[in-house]
């Protein structure tokens, strides 16, 4: 579901560890200027929504605890989606 978002260039992961690459132009990919600015903004929005993620320039990493429940995974992804929408809106205002 998140891979189809216009700000997400690529989703990759193994098990519960995942990374989402944020791109300014999905068809052309590219990078944000300055590099890491979108990732930093996303981290702020995620934290405001009660979600802790790791910013690796403009790739956002998720690594929930192994004891996470299915319901908690759904809540995590809901919050992630909210932060993604808020980041998209904030980048549009720049």
């Amino acid at each position: 579901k998140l891979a189809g978002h216009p700000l997400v260039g690529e989703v990759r992961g193994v098990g519960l560890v995942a990374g989402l690459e944020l791109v300014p132009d999905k068809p052309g990919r590219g990078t944000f200027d300055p590099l890491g600015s979108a990732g930093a903004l996303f981290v702020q929005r995620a934290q405001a929504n009660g979600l802790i993620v790791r910013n690796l320039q403009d790739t956002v990493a998720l690594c929930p605890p192994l004891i996470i429940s299915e319901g908690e995974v759904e809540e995590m992804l809901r919050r992630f989606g909210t932060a993604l929408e808020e980041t998209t809106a904030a980048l549009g205002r720049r």
Side-chain angles (χ1 to χ4, degrees), residues 23-42:
V23 294
D25 175 34
K26 192 168 185 119
R29 301 288 284 257
T31 58
F32 286 96
D33 186 28
L35 185 62
S37 59
L41 178 60
F42 181 87

Side-chain angles (χ1 to χ4, degrees), residues 71-84:
E72 289 168 328
V73 169
E74 291 172 10
E75 179 63 18
M76 177 186 69
L77 293 176
R78 185 193 66 73
R79 291 177 188 215
F80 195 98
T82 299
L84 196 55

Side-chain angles (χ1 to χ4, degrees), residues 15-85:
L16 289 175
V17 178
L20 284 88
E21 176 189 23
L22 305 177
V23 294
D25 175 34
K26 192 168 185 119
R29 301 288 284 257
T31 58
F32 286 96
D33 186 28
L35 185 62
S37 59
L41 178 60
F42 181 87
V43 168
Q44 291 173 353
R45 298 314 320 140
Q47 288 178 348
N49 284 283
L51 185 63
I52 298 172
V53 295
R54 183 171 180 201
N55 177 20
L56 307 167
Q57 294 183 342
D58 287 323
T59 296
V60 179
L62 282 167
C63 186
L66 295 176
I67 60 169
I68 194 167
S69 70
E70 188 174 333
E72 289 168 328
V73 169
E74 291 172 10
E75 179 63 18
M76 177 186 69
L77 293 176
R78 185 193 66 73
R79 291 177 188 215
F80 195 98
T82 299
L84 196 55
E85 291 303 323

